[in-house]
Amino acid sequence: MSYRMRYMLFFIIDSCIVLSAIFMSYWLLNPTIKGYSDKVILVSAVTLLVSHHIAAYFFHLYNRMWSVASVRELLTISYAVTISVATASGMQYFIKNDVYVRIMVITWMLHIIMIGGSRFFLRVINDRESFRNTANLKRVLIVGAGQGGTMLARNLLHAPNPDRLPIVFVDDDVSKQQLKIMNVTVGGTTKEISKLVVKYGIDEIIIAIPSLGRIGIKSIYEDCAVTNIPVKVMPSIEDVMTGKVAVNEMKEVQIENLLGRDEVKLDMVAISNKLTDKVILVTGAGGSIGSEICRQVMSFQPKQLILLGHGENSIYTIHMELHQRSIGTKLIPIIADIQDRSRISEVVKQYKPDVIYHAAAHKHVPLMEYNPYEAVKNNIFGTKNVAEAAHEFGVDNFVMVSTDKAVNPPNVMGATKRIAEMVVQNLARKSETKFAAVRFGNVLGSRGSVIPLFKKQIAAGGPVTVTHPDMTRYFMTIPEASRLVLQAGTLGGNGEIFVLDMGSPVKIVDLARNLIHLSGFTEEEIKIEFTGLRPGEKMFEELLNNEEIQEEHVFPGIHIGQANALKNKDLSKVLDTILEKEYDEMKCLLLEIANKKINDYSNSAV
């Protein structure tokens, strides 16, 4: 139906309702009253008709989508009717110096009932249409009977081509228990999810609490996981309101939602002041962390972004990706090895970056146990080359990406990263460049991390291999790790080591179980197999040792450590000869330096 036809139809219907309402009131009261004038009633009817159409125009009663009307639309009808009845009453008083109160009250009531009824009749028809052929729809349990849950239920019920049917809500608010929302009952609390799934034959659970943080999602997911049915999350209301997604476009629960802590929010204004219209260099720009740092940096519109890496394929990939979204930022891909001191100096001298983010490193613990020389050359001397170039050519800020494995390291990789921290700390004491390092735990989804391995094993039908049932690790997401690195550049300057408050460590076996469930399998279908610790692995990781811990946060969610470095002359003396050592002697020396167990280098075997 066209807009003009629709408008005329409502105009005619409302005209009939308005006239019939006042004459019906007059007819109902006529046997019991005296003194009412037919002329006054006729004038009142005309006034009521004219004033109603004027009010209807201003309140848009004729161009609303009444098939999805709500209480707000009913209030709009009430406003329009009240104004028109009040106008007609005023006309009565003007003509006769009196108001037919009882007639006008009944007219007002009939007016509301009939006009509201005519509109909501369309809503009833629409609702009946929504419930056609529900037998093939997924039966859904909605977690959360608040604004998000109500919005979700409404959209599922009124979807043009529905694929889900809301059956029951759960909510921990005791005042909502057994109430109906959109004709769907709040059947219990989150602790009763497994019972309600069986009772109502639920096919899918949707968590519809957009404001819920990771801690809340993890707790609810644990209650949902025992049911072995799919669990999804409603998108945020902000994404819905901005049109990024529809309310009924459900997201899978991601493994990062189950970390057991909320994501740290960083000071993006301070970061913007540091990066906007500046020259930024990122080493290891093709790696998981380095490439995400580049993506984050790009959002602040630097003047130039230098993508430095050893592998041409990875640099090509990130360069092409960023080129598609570049607005005013000049991208400079550089193929260079951080172990090549002269090449690194040449790059820094040529481009004169304002900030260097040093993310290039060898990071795989078992591999570095077999290749300690490469770990030393890359992690220690590579860092030394980049840091000293930053010092020599007056770079404003240098931020090194470190690791929790640098704390009390029992392995080569951790030891080389701790010694690299010492190199940076020693330079900070004499340089105008502001040096800092950032430690964080395992990064979800980074190359070589446990999550991609688990996903491959699950896709292959299992088993999922876990080294030990009690092994724990700290985890964070790639974007969060990258933003932390950017934040450190605004906070540090004197060789500080920044550490994210990462909450409680996560058991690797729990991570494996959650990923199996998220993939739609049970532990009977995908087995977990324990393989034992690999060379150099620890049962648990630390972010700061006892000597380094400071209780205060330098920034919400970020600690600053007090990690002390060896004296520069002692460290330099060791590094001058370390590559000449045999395998076992080199490894022992690395661990002794990293754990500061050598104090008198003049008497050591250096």
Side-chain angles (χ1 to χ4, degrees), residues 294-455:
C294 293
R295 295 184 190 100
Q296 298 280 346
V297 166
M298 279 289 290
S299 64
F300 296 101
Q301 297 184 339
K303 183 195 300 181
Q304 292 181 350
L305 177 56
I306 305 162
L307 314 170
L308 189 148
H310 189 215
E312 63 171 321
N313 290 332
S314 58
I315 293 298
Y316 172 81
T317 300
I318 187 64
H319 178 250
M320 293 306 296
E321 176 190 333
L322 297 180
H323 181 70
Q324 300 297 320
R325 46 192 279 203
S326 175
I327 303 176
T329 297
K330 184 177 181 181
L331 298 172
I332 304 171
I334 300 291
I335 305 301
D337 190 337
I338 60 172
Q339 298 178 37
D340 186 340
R341 185 178 181 85
S342 61
R343 173 65 170 143
I344 294 301
S345 294
E346 174 188 299
V347 171
V348 176
K349 180 180 180 180
Q350 178 181 353
Y351 293 103
K352 295 181 173 56
D354 297 292
V355 182
I356 294 178
Y357 295 111
H358 177 50
H362 287 327
K363 64 179 183 178
H364 298 289
V365 171
L367 278 177
M368 293 307 103
E369 289 300 296
Y370 292 112
N371 300 276
Y373 293 94
E374 296 307 312
V376 169
K377 288 190 291 184
N378 202 64
N379 293 356
I380 298 176
F381 288 100
T383 298
K384 189 169 183 288
N385 292 339
V386 181
E388 289 180 347
H391 164 66
E392 180 180 356
F393 298 106
V395 174
D396 291 337
N397 287 85
F398 176 97
V399 183
M400 169 192 165
V401 175
S402 190
T403 171
D404 57 359
K405 294 172 178 60
V407 183
N408 300 322
N411 52 59
V412 168
M413 195 284 278
T416 57
K417 293 296 283 185
R418 176 64 193 116
I419 296 170
E421 289 178 352
M422 292 181 181
V423 169
V424 170
Q425 287 177 297
N426 280 320
L427 269 173
R429 294 170 181 167
K430 64 180 182 181
S431 179
E432 294 296 319
T433 299
K434 296 178 180 179
F435 286 93
V438 185
R439 283 182 193 164
F440 40 74
N442 293 264
V443 179
L444 290 171
S446 61
R447 286 188 299 211
S449 68
V450 70
I451 298 300
L453 173 62
F454 284 171
K455 286 182 176 179

Side-chain angles (χ1 to χ4, degrees), residues 99-100 122 128 155 158 216 239 245 286 335 338 408 410 412 506 556:
V99 176
Y100 299 166
L122 299 174
R128 287 178 63 85
N155 277 270
H158 298 153
D239 286 346
V245 294
I335 305 301
I338 60 172
N408 300 322
V412 168
V506 177

Side-chain angles (χ1 to χ4, degrees), residues 240-295:
V240 173
M241 299 305 291
T242 56
K244 292 181 180 178
V245 294
V247 170
N248 54 356
E249 289 183 26
M250 300 306 134
K251 301 187 298 182
E252 301 290 341
V253 177
Q254 300 297 318
I255 196 69
E256 54 262 34
N257 297 136
L258 308 179
L259 293 182
R261 61 172 179 79
D262 289 330
E263 191 170 356
V264 174
K265 303 299 182 184
L266 303 181
D267 185 356
M268 305 308 276
V269 174
I271 297 172
S272 177
N273 293 336
K274 184 70 67 173
L275 301 181
T276 301
D277 204 32
K278 300 295 179 62
V279 178
I280 313 299
L281 187 152
V282 180
T283 70
S288 303
I289 300 298
S291 60
E292 183 61 27
I293 290 174
C294 293
R295 295 184 190 100

Side-chain angles (χ1 to χ4, degrees), residues 6-7 10-11 14 52-53 56 60-64 119:
R6 174 189 171 84
Y7 191 99
F10 277 124
F11 186 93
D14 280 10
H52 171 81
H53 287 307
H60 305 287
L61 295 190
Y62 299 153
N63 55 3
R64 290 180 182 270
R119 301 305 195 271

Side-chain angles (χ1 to χ4, degrees), residues 490-596:
T490 70
L491 301 172
N494 296 309
E496 297 94 340
I497 295 176
F498 295 101
V499 180
L500 179 65
D501 185 353
M502 300 187 71
S504 301
V506 177
K507 276 191 172 184
I508 301 298
V509 68
D510 290 342
L511 204 65
R513 290 191 181 113
N514 284 332
L515 201 56
I516 289 170
H517 293 152
L518 290 176
S519 301
F521 298 100
T522 66
E523 289 174 57
E524 288 71 32
E525 295 171 314
I526 303 291
K527 302 292 184 183
I528 295 177
E529 184 179 291
F530 297 104
T531 58
L533 294 179
R534 297 176 297 178
E537 283 191 320
K538 296 167 69 174
M539 283 290 292
F540 62 93
E541 299 290 3
E542 307 158 274
L543 293 167
L544 292 168
N545 64 34
N546 292 332
E547 296 178 357
E548 298 172 341
I549 292 175
Q550 283 192 38
E551 292 298 326
E552 294 183 4
H553 290 75
V554 68
F555 186 86
I558 301 178
H559 295 282
I560 181 171
Q562 290 180 317
N564 297 317
L566 295 175
K567 292 181 179 179
N568 191 51
K569 64 177 182 178
D570 292 333
L571 184 59
S572 297
K573 192 173 182 180
V574 177
L575 296 183
D576 285 343
T577 59
I578 194 168
L579 289 175
E580 300 172 6
K581 305 296 182 183
E582 296 294 330
Y583 175 92
D584 290 334
E585 190 178 3
M586 172 188 278
K587 183 176 178 179
C588 289
L589 187 56
L590 285 172
L591 296 178
E592 287 177 340
I593 299 169
N595 291 290
K596 295 196 299 181

Side-chain angles (χ1 to χ4, degrees), residues 25 152 166 196 347 368 474 515 527 536 602-603:
S25 302
L152 174 62
L196 294 172
V347 171
M368 293 307 103
Y474 291 99
L515 201 56
K527 302 292 184 183
S602 60
N603 297 323

